[in-house]
Amino acid sequence: MTQLPNIITLLRIAGSLGLLLCDVTGVVFWIIYALCGISDIADGWLARKLKCVTKPGALLDSLADICFVACLCPLLLPILELPQWLWLWAVVIVVIKIVNQISALVMYGHCCFPHTLANKITGFLLFIAVPMTFWSIIPITIVAAIATFAAIQEWHFIRRNA
C-alpha cells in the first residue's frame, strides 16, 4: 500500500509518453491529459494520507512532471498561437529553473526539486490553463507570472535549504 503513490506517479509517466501517440484534437488525448493531471494531485495527496512521503517519491513526482511537460511541448507548442513575448517569457522561466538545478548540483552534489506551494499552484494552474490557451492567452499569462515567482522562490529555497 505504501508504494501506491509511486505506482500512480509511474502511471503518469506512462500516460505522458502515451500522449505522444495521440492526436491532439482527439478525445483520447484529452482523456489521458486529464488522467495525468488528476494523478499528479492524487499521488501527493495519497502519499501524505498514507504517511509514506519519501524523498525518492518526491523526486519521482518531479521527474513525472518534467516528463509530462516534455511530452506536451512538441505536441501543443506548434499549434498554440502564442505571441513572441510569451515565448521569450517561457524561455526565461526554463532558464531560471535550469540554473537552479545547476546551482543545486554545484552546491550540494544533487538536484533539488522543492515542492513549494508556488510550484504546486503553478503546476495546477498550468494544467488548467493549457486547454484554455486555445481561446485566450490571459490564463497562460497569469500562469507565467506565478511560474516566474515560483522559479525565483525555488532558487531562494535551494540557496538556503537544499
Side-chain angles (χ1 to χ4, degrees):
M1 193 70 150
T2 59
Q3 290 302 315
L4 186 57
N6 291 340
I7 292 168
I8 292 170
T9 304
L10 289 170
L11 289 172
R12 181 163 79 253
I13 293 171
S16 299
L17 295 171
L19 289 172
L20 294 171
L21 304 173
C22 296
D23 176 12
V24 178
T25 61
V27 174
V28 173
F29 176 90
W30 293 104
I31 289 172
I32 295 172
Y33 178 89
L35 290 172
C36 286
I38 292 166
S39 73
D40 189 21
I41 296 166
D43 61 0
W45 177 84
L46 199 55
R48 288 185 294 279
K49 189 80 169 166
L50 295 174
K51 296 180 181 11
C52 59
V53 175
T54 64
K55 283 188 179 187
L59 178 61
L60 184 63
D61 181 63
S62 294
L63 293 175
D65 293 343
I66 291 168
C67 181
F68 184 59
V69 171
C71 289
L72 286 175
C73 284
L75 299 172
L76 295 177
L77 293 182
I79 61 174
L80 291 175
E81 295 180 19
L82 301 176
Q84 191 172 14
W85 61 266
L86 195 51
W87 286 101
L88 181 60
W89 194 354
V91 168
V92 168
I93 294 167
V94 169
V95 167
I96 292 170
K97 290 194 145 295
I98 290 170
V99 168
N100 288 345
Q101 294 311 311
I102 292 170
S103 297
L105 278 170
V106 169
M107 293 167 58
Y108 307 109
H110 60 83
C111 289
C112 178
F113 299 98
H115 288 215
T116 64
L117 182 59
N119 273 332
K120 290 178 183 183
I121 291 170
T122 299
F124 177 72
L125 292 178
L126 183 61
F127 170 71
I128 292 171
V130 165
M132 297 168 73
T133 303
F134 288 102
W135 298 282
S136 170
I137 65 162
I138 294 171
I140 204 74
T141 304
I142 293 168
V143 172
I146 296 168
T148 303
F149 173 80
I152 293 168
Q153 182 189 42
E154 184 177 279
W155 171 80
H156 179 72
F157 180 88
I158 289 170
R159 277 200 61 205
R160 297 275 186 191
N161 303 317

PDB file of all heavy atoms in Angstrom, residues 62-98:
ATOM      1  N   SER A  62       8.552  14.785  -9.334  1.00  0.00           N
ATOM      2  CA  SER A  62       9.121  15.892 -10.112  1.00  0.00           C
ATOM      3  C   SER A  62       9.535  15.432 -11.502  1.00  0.00           C
ATOM      4  O   SER A  62       9.317  16.138 -12.494  1.00  0.00           O
ATOM      5  CB  SER A  62      10.324  16.493  -9.378  1.00  0.00           C
ATOM      6  OG  SER A  62       9.911  17.108  -8.180  1.00  0.00           O
ATOM      7  N   LEU A  63      10.128  14.245 -11.581  1.00  0.00           N
ATOM      8  CA  LEU A  63      10.514  13.711 -12.886  1.00  0.00           C
ATOM      9  C   LEU A  63       9.283  13.427 -13.754  1.00  0.00           C
ATOM     10  O   LEU A  63       9.309  13.651 -14.966  1.00  0.00           O
ATOM     11  CB  LEU A  63      11.365  12.458 -12.714  1.00  0.00           C
ATOM     12  CG  LEU A  63      12.736  12.686 -12.077  1.00  0.00           C
ATOM     13  CD1 LEU A  63      13.450  11.359 -11.837  1.00  0.00           C
ATOM     14  CD2 LEU A  63      13.589  13.611 -12.917  1.00  0.00           C
ATOM     15  N   ALA A  64       8.200  12.969 -13.127  1.00  0.00           N
ATOM     16  CA  ALA A  64       6.953  12.733 -13.868  1.00  0.00           C
ATOM     17  C   ALA A  64       6.394  14.053 -14.394  1.00  0.00           C
ATOM     18  O   ALA A  64       5.880  14.111 -15.517  1.00  0.00           O
ATOM     19  CB  ALA A  64       5.929  12.026 -12.983  1.00  0.00           C
ATOM     20  N   ASP A  65       6.494  15.114 -13.592  1.00  0.00           N
ATOM     21  CA  ASP A  65       6.043  16.437 -14.037  1.00  0.00           C
ATOM     22  C   ASP A  65       6.850  16.901 -15.245  1.00  0.00           C
ATOM     23  O   ASP A  65       6.289  17.408 -16.224  1.00  0.00           O
ATOM     24  CB  ASP A  65       6.179  17.465 -12.905  1.00  0.00           C
ATOM     25  CG  ASP A  65       5.243  17.205 -11.745  1.00  0.00           C
ATOM     26  OD1 ASP A  65       4.260  16.445 -11.912  1.00  0.00           O
ATOM     27  OD2 ASP A  65       5.495  17.753 -10.653  1.00  0.00           O
ATOM     28  N   ILE A  66       8.170  16.728 -15.171  1.00  0.00           N
ATOM     29  CA  ILE A  66       9.040  17.124 -16.279  1.00  0.00           C
ATOM     30  C   ILE A  66       8.706  16.307 -17.522  1.00  0.00           C
ATOM     31  O   ILE A  66       8.620  16.849 -18.635  1.00  0.00           O
ATOM     32  CB  ILE A  66      10.522  16.964 -15.881  1.00  0.00           C
ATOM     33  CG1 ILE A  66      10.879  18.005 -14.805  1.00  0.00           C
ATOM     34  CG2 ILE A  66      11.436  17.095 -17.094  1.00  0.00           C
ATOM     35  CD1 ILE A  66      12.217  17.756 -14.122  1.00  0.00           C
ATOM     36  N   CYS A  67       8.488  15.013 -17.347  1.00  0.00           N
ATOM     37  CA  CYS A  67       8.132  14.133 -18.468  1.00  0.00           C
ATOM     38  C   CYS A  67       6.815  14.577 -19.107  1.00  0.00           C
ATOM     39  O   CYS A  67       6.701  14.642 -20.338  1.00  0.00           O
ATOM     40  CB  CYS A  67       8.042  12.693 -17.975  1.00  0.00           C
ATOM     41  SG  CYS A  67       7.648  11.496 -19.261  1.00  0.00           S
ATOM     42  N   PHE A  68       5.834  14.913 -18.283  1.00  0.00           N
ATOM     43  CA  PHE A  68       4.528  15.355 -18.776  1.00  0.00           C
ATOM     44  C   PHE A  68       4.683  16.609 -19.634  1.00  0.00           C
ATOM     45  O   PHE A  68       4.190  16.679 -20.762  1.00  0.00           O
ATOM     46  CB  PHE A  68       3.590  15.587 -17.586  1.00  0.00           C
ATOM     47  CG  PHE A  68       2.188  15.955 -17.954  1.00  0.00           C
ATOM     48  CD1 PHE A  68       1.401  15.125 -18.738  1.00  0.00           C
ATOM     49  CD2 PHE A  68       1.620  17.127 -17.471  1.00  0.00           C
ATOM     50  CE1 PHE A  68       0.090  15.456 -19.056  1.00  0.00           C
ATOM     51  CE2 PHE A  68       0.313  17.463 -17.781  1.00  0.00           C
ATOM     52  CZ  PHE A  68      -0.453  16.631 -18.574  1.00  0.00           C
ATOM     53  N   VAL A  69       5.397  17.592 -19.110  1.00  0.00           N
ATOM     54  CA  VAL A  69       5.597  18.842 -19.848  1.00  0.00           C
ATOM     55  C   VAL A  69       6.420  18.584 -21.111  1.00  0.00           C
ATOM     56  O   VAL A  69       6.098  19.108 -22.186  1.00  0.00           O
ATOM     57  CB  VAL A  69       6.265  19.905 -18.946  1.00  0.00           C
ATOM     58  CG1 VAL A  69       6.680  21.129 -19.752  1.00  0.00           C
ATOM     59  CG2 VAL A  69       5.324  20.312 -17.820  1.00  0.00           C
ATOM     60  N   ALA A  70       7.469  17.770 -20.992  1.00  0.00           N
ATOM     61  CA  ALA A  70       8.323  17.482 -22.146  1.00  0.00           C
ATOM     62  C   ALA A  70       7.549  16.772 -23.255  1.00  0.00           C
ATOM     63  O   ALA A  70       7.809  17.002 -24.443  1.00  0.00           O
ATOM     64  CB  ALA A  70       9.523  16.637 -21.719  1.00  0.00           C
ATOM     65  N   CYS A  71       6.596  15.933 -22.877  1.00  0.00           N
ATOM     66  CA  CYS A  71       5.792  15.240 -23.897  1.00  0.00           C
ATOM     67  C   CYS A  71       4.745  16.178 -24.511  1.00  0.00           C
ATOM     68  O   CYS A  71       4.409  16.046 -25.691  1.00  0.00           O
ATOM     69  CB  CYS A  71       5.108  14.011 -23.292  1.00  0.00           C
ATOM     70  SG  CYS A  71       6.261  12.674 -22.907  1.00  0.00           S
ATOM     71  N   LEU A  72       4.251  17.106 -23.735  1.00  0.00           N
ATOM     72  CA  LEU A  72       3.243  18.032 -24.245  1.00  0.00           C
ATOM     73  C   LEU A  72       3.837  19.089 -25.183  1.00  0.00           C
ATOM     74  O   LEU A  72       3.188  19.488 -26.153  1.00  0.00           O
ATOM     75  CB  LEU A  72       2.527  18.745 -23.093  1.00  0.00           C
ATOM     76  CG  LEU A  72       1.533  17.927 -22.309  1.00  0.00           C
ATOM     77  CD1 LEU A  72       0.994  18.726 -21.138  1.00  0.00           C
ATOM     78  CD2 LEU A  72       0.393  17.452 -23.195  1.00  0.00           C
ATOM     79  N   CYS A  73       5.046  19.520 -24.890  1.00  0.00           N
ATOM     80  CA  CYS A  73       5.641  20.615 -25.674  1.00  0.00           C
ATOM     81  C   CYS A  73       5.656  20.353 -27.181  1.00  0.00           C
ATOM     82  O   CYS A  73       5.170  21.197 -27.940  1.00  0.00           O
ATOM     83  CB  CYS A  73       7.033  20.950 -25.153  1.00  0.00           C
ATOM     84  SG  CYS A  73       6.985  21.905 -23.620  1.00  0.00           S
ATOM     85  N   PRO A  74       6.198  19.232 -27.645  1.00  0.00           N
ATOM     86  CA  PRO A  74       6.229  19.050 -29.104  1.00  0.00           C
ATOM     87  C   PRO A  74       4.840  18.866 -29.722  1.00  0.00           C
ATOM     88  O   PRO A  74       4.663  19.057 -30.918  1.00  0.00           O
ATOM     89  CB  PRO A  74       7.077  17.785 -29.300  1.00  0.00           C
ATOM     90  CG  PRO A  74       7.024  17.070 -28.004  1.00  0.00           C
ATOM     91  CD  PRO A  74       6.837  18.119 -26.946  1.00  0.00           C
ATOM     92  N   LEU A  75       3.860  18.525 -28.903  1.00  0.00           N
ATOM     93  CA  LEU A  75       2.506  18.329 -29.418  1.00  0.00           C
ATOM     94  C   LEU A  75       1.709  19.629 -29.462  1.00  0.00           C
ATOM     95  O   LEU A  75       1.002  19.893 -30.434  1.00  0.00           O
ATOM     96  CB  LEU A  75       1.756  17.304 -28.551  1.00  0.00           C
ATOM     97  CG  LEU A  75       2.368  15.898 -28.492  1.00  0.00           C
ATOM     98  CD1 LEU A  75       1.643  15.057 -27.457  1.00  0.00           C
ATOM     99  CD2 LEU A  75       2.312  15.243 -29.854  1.00  0.00           C
ATOM    100  N   LEU A  76       1.809  20.421 -28.405  1.00  0.00           N
ATOM    101  CA  LEU A  76       0.958  21.602 -28.285  1.00  0.00           C
ATOM    102  C   LEU A  76       1.603  22.897 -28.767  1.00  0.00           C
ATOM    103  O   LEU A  76       0.918  23.758 -29.323  1.00  0.00           O
ATOM    104  CB  LEU A  76       0.494  21.770 -26.836  1.00  0.00           C
ATOM    105  CG  LEU A  76      -0.421  20.670 -26.310  1.00  0.00           C
ATOM    106  CD1 LEU A  76      -0.755  20.907 -24.847  1.00  0.00           C
ATOM    107  CD2 LEU A  76      -1.696  20.581 -27.134  1.00  0.00           C
ATOM    108  N   LEU A  77       2.902  23.039 -28.557  1.00  0.00           N
ATOM    109  CA  LEU A  77       3.527  24.316 -28.918  1.00  0.00           C
ATOM    110  C   LEU A  77       3.398  24.670 -30.392  1.00  0.00           C
ATOM    111  O   LEU A  77       3.169  25.833 -30.717  1.00  0.00           O
ATOM    112  CB  LEU A  77       4.990  24.343 -28.466  1.00  0.00           C
ATOM    113  CG  LEU A  77       5.189  24.341 -26.941  1.00  0.00           C
ATOM    114  CD1 LEU A  77       6.668  24.416 -26.604  1.00  0.00           C
ATOM    115  CD2 LEU A  77       4.416  25.452 -26.264  1.00  0.00           C
ATOM    116  N   PRO A  78       3.491  23.697 -31.307  1.00  0.00           N
ATOM    117  CA  PRO A  78       3.335  24.068 -32.721  1.00  0.00           C
ATOM    118  C   PRO A  78       1.930  24.557 -33.090  1.00  0.00           C
ATOM    119  O   PRO A  78       1.772  25.285 -34.071  1.00  0.00           O
ATOM    120  CB  PRO A  78       3.646  22.766 -33.473  1.00  0.00           C
ATOM    121  CG  PRO A  78       4.430  21.942 -32.525  1.00  0.00           C
ATOM    122  CD  PRO A  78       3.927  22.311 -31.158  1.00  0.00           C
ATOM    123  N   ILE A  79       0.930  24.184 -32.318  1.00  0.00           N
ATOM    124  CA  ILE A  79      -0.432  24.577 -32.702  1.00  0.00           C
ATOM    125  C   ILE A  79      -0.993  25.717 -31.862  1.00  0.00           C
ATOM    126  O   ILE A  79      -2.026  26.277 -32.198  1.00  0.00           O
ATOM    127  CB  ILE A  79      -1.399  23.367 -32.681  1.00  0.00           C
ATOM    128  CG1 ILE A  79      -1.498  22.755 -31.292  1.00  0.00           C
ATOM    129  CG2 ILE A  79      -0.986  22.339 -33.704  1.00  0.00           C
ATOM    130  CD1 ILE A  79      -2.534  21.650 -31.179  1.00  0.00           C
ATOM    131  N   LEU A  80      -0.314  26.066 -30.766  1.00  0.00           N
ATOM    132  CA  LEU A  80      -0.771  27.200 -29.960  1.00  0.00           C
ATOM    133  C   LEU A  80      -0.268  28.494 -30.596  1.00  0.00           C
ATOM    134  O   LEU A  80       0.898  28.589 -30.978  1.00  0.00           O
ATOM    135  CB  LEU A  80      -0.249  27.097 -28.522  1.00  0.00           C
ATOM    136  CG  LEU A  80      -0.829  25.977 -27.674  1.00  0.00           C
ATOM    137  CD1 LEU A  80      -0.130  25.924 -26.328  1.00  0.00           C
ATOM    138  CD2 LEU A  80      -2.330  26.157 -27.487  1.00  0.00           C
ATOM    139  N   GLU A  81      -1.135  29.437 -30.692  1.00  0.00           N
ATOM    140  CA  GLU A  81      -0.753  30.723 -31.266  1.00  0.00           C
ATOM    141  C   GLU A  81      -0.417  31.684 -30.135  1.00  0.00           C
ATOM    142  O   GLU A  81      -1.272  32.425 -29.645  1.00  0.00           O
ATOM    143  CB  GLU A  81      -1.890  31.259 -32.134  1.00  0.00           C
ATOM    144  CG  GLU A  81      -2.145  30.387 -33.346  1.00  0.00           C
ATOM    145  CD  GLU A  81      -3.275  30.903 -34.218  1.00  0.00           C
ATOM    146  OE1 GLU A  81      -3.620  32.102 -34.107  1.00  0.00           O
ATOM    147  OE2 GLU A  81      -3.800  30.109 -35.001  1.00  0.00           O
ATOM    148  N   LEU A  82       0.854  31.659 -29.736  1.00  0.00           N
ATOM    149  CA  LEU A  82       1.317  32.499 -28.636  1.00  0.00           C
ATOM    150  C   LEU A  82       2.160  33.641 -29.180  1.00  0.00           C
ATOM    151  O   LEU A  82       2.949  33.451 -30.106  1.00  0.00           O
ATOM    152  CB  LEU A  82       2.147  31.677 -27.653  1.00  0.00           C
ATOM    153  CG  LEU A  82       1.450  30.486 -27.003  1.00  0.00           C
ATOM    154  CD1 LEU A  82       2.429  29.707 -26.139  1.00  0.00           C
ATOM    155  CD2 LEU A  82       0.252  30.937 -26.178  1.00  0.00           C
ATOM    156  N   PRO A  83       2.031  34.835 -28.585  1.00  0.00           N
ATOM    157  CA  PRO A  83       2.874  35.951 -29.031  1.00  0.00           C
ATOM    158  C   PRO A  83       4.341  35.705 -28.665  1.00  0.00           C
ATOM    159  O   PRO A  83       4.649  34.961 -27.721  1.00  0.00           O
ATOM    160  CB  PRO A  83       2.304  37.152 -28.269  1.00  0.00           C
ATOM    161  CG  PRO A  83       1.512  36.594 -27.159  1.00  0.00           C
ATOM    162  CD  PRO A  83       1.099  35.213 -27.536  1.00  0.00           C
ATOM    163  N   GLN A  84       5.216  36.354 -29.384  1.00  0.00           N
ATOM    164  CA  GLN A  84       6.654  36.150 -29.205  1.00  0.00           C
ATOM    165  C   GLN A  84       7.099  36.487 -27.781  1.00  0.00           C
ATOM    166  O   GLN A  84       7.949  35.796 -27.219  1.00  0.00           O
ATOM    167  CB  GLN A  84       7.417  36.991 -30.225  1.00  0.00           C
ATOM    168  CG  GLN A  84       8.884  36.659 -30.289  1.00  0.00           C
ATOM    169  CD  GLN A  84       9.572  37.369 -31.441  1.00  0.00           C
ATOM    170  OE1 GLN A  84       9.033  38.282 -32.035  1.00  0.00           O
ATOM    171  NE2 GLN A  84      10.778  36.947 -31.744  1.00  0.00           N
ATOM    172  N   TRP A  85       6.532  37.538 -27.184  1.00  0.00           N
ATOM    173  CA  TRP A  85       6.933  37.921 -25.832  1.00  0.00           C
ATOM    174  C   TRP A  85       6.610  36.825 -24.821  1.00  0.00           C
ATOM    175  O   TRP A  85       7.338  36.631 -23.853  1.00  0.00           O
ATOM    176  CB  TRP A  85       6.303  39.252 -25.403  1.00  0.00           C
ATOM    177  CG  TRP A  85       4.798  39.254 -25.366  1.00  0.00           C
ATOM    178  CD1 TRP A  85       3.969  39.653 -26.367  1.00  0.00           C
ATOM    179  CD2 TRP A  85       3.955  38.839 -24.285  1.00  0.00           C
ATOM    180  NE1 TRP A  85       2.651  39.506 -25.984  1.00  0.00           N
ATOM    181  CE2 TRP A  85       2.620  39.014 -24.701  1.00  0.00           C
ATOM    182  CE3 TRP A  85       4.190  38.344 -23.009  1.00  0.00           C
ATOM    183  CZ2 TRP A  85       1.523  38.706 -23.893  1.00  0.00           C
ATOM    184  CZ3 TRP A  85       3.109  38.035 -22.196  1.00  0.00           C
ATOM    185  CH2 TRP A  85       1.801  38.219 -22.637  1.00  0.00           C
ATOM    186  N   LEU A  86       5.550  36.059 -25.061  1.00  0.00           N
ATOM    187  CA  LEU A  86       5.190  34.975 -24.152  1.00  0.00           C
ATOM    188  C   LEU A  86       6.156  33.795 -24.313  1.00  0.00           C
ATOM    189  O   LEU A  86       6.527  33.147 -23.335  1.00  0.00           O
ATOM    190  CB  LEU A  86       3.745  34.544 -24.384  1.00  0.00           C
ATOM    191  CG  LEU A  86       3.090  33.693 -23.307  1.00  0.00           C
ATOM    192  CD1 LEU A  86       3.230  34.299 -21.921  1.00  0.00           C
ATOM    193  CD2 LEU A  86       1.617  33.484 -23.625  1.00  0.00           C
ATOM    194  N   TRP A  87       6.580  33.534 -25.551  1.00  0.00           N
ATOM    195  CA  TRP A  87       7.603  32.509 -25.785  1.00  0.00           C
ATOM    196  C   TRP A  87       8.885  32.875 -25.049  1.00  0.00           C
ATOM    197  O   TRP A  87       9.506  32.030 -24.400  1.00  0.00           O
ATOM    198  CB  TRP A  87       7.898  32.372 -27.278  1.00  0.00           C
ATOM    199  CG  TRP A  87       6.850  31.672 -28.057  1.00  0.00           C
ATOM    200  CD1 TRP A  87       5.903  32.249 -28.848  1.00  0.00           C
ATOM    201  CD2 TRP A  87       6.623  30.271 -28.134  1.00  0.00           C
ATOM    202  NE1 TRP A  87       5.100  31.287 -29.413  1.00  0.00           N
ATOM    203  CE2 TRP A  87       5.529  30.056 -28.987  1.00  0.00           C
ATOM    204  CE3 TRP A  87       7.247  29.164 -27.569  1.00  0.00           C
ATOM    205  CZ2 TRP A  87       5.040  28.799 -29.290  1.00  0.00           C
ATOM    206  CZ3 TRP A  87       6.761  27.900 -27.870  1.00  0.00           C
ATOM    207  CH2 TRP A  87       5.663  27.735 -28.722  1.00  0.00           C
ATOM    208  N   LEU A  88       9.282  34.134 -25.177  1.00  0.00           N
ATOM    209  CA  LEU A  88      10.501  34.604 -24.521  1.00  0.00           C
ATOM    210  C   LEU A  88      10.388  34.458 -23.005  1.00  0.00           C
ATOM    211  O   LEU A  88      11.326  34.022 -22.338  1.00  0.00           O
ATOM    212  CB  LEU A  88      10.784  36.055 -24.913  1.00  0.00           C
ATOM    213  CG  LEU A  88      12.037  36.679 -24.334  1.00  0.00           C
ATOM    214  CD1 LEU A  88      13.282  35.892 -24.759  1.00  0.00           C
ATOM    215  CD2 LEU A  88      12.165  38.125 -24.767  1.00  0.00           C
ATOM    216  N   TRP A  89       9.240  34.806 -22.452  1.00  0.00           N
ATOM    217  CA  TRP A  89       8.997  34.689 -21.020  1.00  0.00           C
ATOM    218  C   TRP A  89       9.128  33.225 -20.582  1.00  0.00           C
ATOM    219  O   TRP A  89       9.757  32.919 -19.568  1.00  0.00           O
ATOM    220  CB  TRP A  89       7.617  35.234 -20.698  1.00  0.00           C
ATOM    221  CG  TRP A  89       7.341  35.499 -19.254  1.00  0.00           C
ATOM    222  CD1 TRP A  89       8.121  35.204 -18.176  1.00  0.00           C
ATOM    223  CD2 TRP A  89       6.180  36.121 -18.718  1.00  0.00           C
ATOM    224  NE1 TRP A  89       7.514  35.601 -17.010  1.00  0.00           N
ATOM    225  CE2 TRP A  89       6.321  36.173 -17.325  1.00  0.00           C
ATOM    226  CE3 TRP A  89       5.026  36.635 -19.294  1.00  0.00           C
ATOM    227  CZ2 TRP A  89       5.345  36.718 -16.487  1.00  0.00           C
ATOM    228  CZ3 TRP A  89       4.061  37.182 -18.464  1.00  0.00           C
ATOM    229  CH2 TRP A  89       4.224  37.225 -17.081  1.00  0.00           C
ATOM    230  N   ALA A  90       8.572  32.324 -21.371  1.00  0.00           N
ATOM    231  CA  ALA A  90       8.666  30.892 -21.060  1.00  0.00           C
ATOM    232  C   ALA A  90      10.121  30.430 -21.067  1.00  0.00           C
ATOM    233  O   ALA A  90      10.544  29.657 -20.194  1.00  0.00           O
ATOM    234  CB  ALA A  90       7.833  30.080 -22.040  1.00  0.00           C
ATOM    235  N   VAL A  91      10.888  30.915 -22.021  1.00  0.00           N
ATOM    236  CA  VAL A  91      12.305  30.552 -22.094  1.00  0.00           C
ATOM    237  C   VAL A  91      13.036  31.059 -20.848  1.00  0.00           C
ATOM    238  O   VAL A  91      13.867  30.344 -20.272  1.00  0.00           O
ATOM    239  CB  VAL A  91      12.946  31.096 -23.391  1.00  0.00           C
ATOM    240  CG1 VAL A  91      14.470  30.986 -23.346  1.00  0.00           C
ATOM    241  CG2 VAL A  91      12.390  30.362 -24.599  1.00  0.00           C
ATOM    242  N   VAL A  92      12.725  32.269 -20.418  1.00  0.00           N
ATOM    243  CA  VAL A  92      13.355  32.822 -19.214  1.00  0.00           C
ATOM    244  C   VAL A  92      13.046  31.944 -17.999  1.00  0.00           C
ATOM    245  O   VAL A  92      13.932  31.640 -17.194  1.00  0.00           O
ATOM    246  CB  VAL A  92      12.914  34.289 -18.979  1.00  0.00           C
ATOM    247  CG1 VAL A  92      13.323  34.776 -17.594  1.00  0.00           C
ATOM    248  CG2 VAL A  92      13.483  35.194 -20.064  1.00  0.00           C
ATOM    249  N   ILE A  93      11.805  31.503 -17.857  1.00  0.00           N
ATOM    250  CA  ILE A  93      11.427  30.641 -16.740  1.00  0.00           C
ATOM    251  C   ILE A  93      12.206  29.326 -16.796  1.00  0.00           C
ATOM    252  O   ILE A  93      12.744  28.864 -15.780  1.00  0.00           O
ATOM    253  CB  ILE A  93       9.906  30.379 -16.735  1.00  0.00           C
ATOM    254  CG1 ILE A  93       9.141  31.674 -16.448  1.00  0.00           C
ATOM    255  CG2 ILE A  93       9.541  29.299 -15.701  1.00  0.00           C
ATOM    256  CD1 ILE A  93       7.646  31.587 -16.726  1.00  0.00           C
ATOM    257  N   VAL A  94      12.295  28.736 -17.970  1.00  0.00           N
ATOM    258  CA  VAL A  94      13.030  27.474 -18.126  1.00  0.00           C
ATOM    259  C   VAL A  94      14.507  27.679 -17.787  1.00  0.00           C
ATOM    260  O   VAL A  94      15.117  26.859 -17.093  1.00  0.00           O
ATOM    261  CB  VAL A  94      12.859  26.907 -19.553  1.00  0.00           C
ATOM    262  CG1 VAL A  94      13.816  25.755 -19.811  1.00  0.00           C
ATOM    263  CG2 VAL A  94      11.412  26.463 -19.762  1.00  0.00           C
ATOM    264  N   VAL A  95      15.087  28.781 -18.234  1.00  0.00           N
ATOM    265  CA  VAL A  95      16.498  29.059 -17.945  1.00  0.00           C
ATOM    266  C   VAL A  95      16.707  29.207 -16.436  1.00  0.00           C
ATOM    267  O   VAL A  95      17.670  28.661 -15.878  1.00  0.00           O
ATOM    268  CB  VAL A  95      16.994  30.309 -18.712  1.00  0.00           C
ATOM    269  CG1 VAL A  95      18.343  30.783 -18.188  1.00  0.00           C
ATOM    270  CG2 VAL A  95      17.063  30.024 -20.196  1.00  0.00           C
ATOM    271  N   ILE A  96      15.815  29.922 -15.764  1.00  0.00           N
ATOM    272  CA  ILE A  96      15.929  30.069 -14.304  1.00  0.00           C
ATOM    273  C   ILE A  96      15.887  28.696 -13.643  1.00  0.00           C
ATOM    274  O   ILE A  96      16.694  28.392 -12.757  1.00  0.00           O
ATOM    275  CB  ILE A  96      14.817  30.977 -13.744  1.00  0.00           C
ATOM    276  CG1 ILE A  96      15.001  32.426 -14.205  1.00  0.00           C
ATOM    277  CG2 ILE A  96      14.791  30.916 -12.205  1.00  0.00           C
ATOM    278  CD1 ILE A  96      13.827  33.329 -13.886  1.00  0.00           C
ATOM    279  N   LYS A  97      14.970  27.841 -14.077  1.00  0.00           N
ATOM    280  CA  LYS A  97      14.853  26.511 -13.477  1.00  0.00           C
ATOM    281  C   LYS A  97      16.097  25.659 -13.752  1.00  0.00           C
ATOM    282  O   LYS A  97      16.550  24.916 -12.876  1.00  0.00           O
ATOM    283  CB  LYS A  97      13.582  25.820 -13.954  1.00  0.00           C
ATOM    284  CG  LYS A  97      12.325  26.480 -13.381  1.00  0.00           C
ATOM    285  CD  LYS A  97      11.147  25.606 -13.586  1.00  0.00           C
ATOM    286  CE  LYS A  97      10.141  25.647 -12.501  1.00  0.00           C
ATOM    287  NZ  LYS A  97      10.440  25.201 -11.199  1.00  0.00           N
ATOM    288  N   ILE A  98      16.662  25.764 -14.946  1.00  0.00           N
ATOM    289  CA  ILE A  98      17.893  25.029 -15.259  1.00  0.00           C
ATOM    290  C   ILE A  98      19.049  25.543 -14.396  1.00  0.00           C
ATOM    291  O   ILE A  98      19.820  24.747 -13.835  1.00  0.00           O
ATOM    292  CB  ILE A  98      18.220  25.121 -16.761  1.00  0.00           C
ATOM    293  CG1 ILE A  98      17.193  24.310 -17.569  1.00  0.00           C
ATOM    294  CG2 ILE A  98      19.651  24.637 -17.049  1.00  0.00           C
ATOM    295  CD1 ILE A  98      17.273  24.528 -19.070  1.00  0.00           C
TER     296      ILE A  98
END
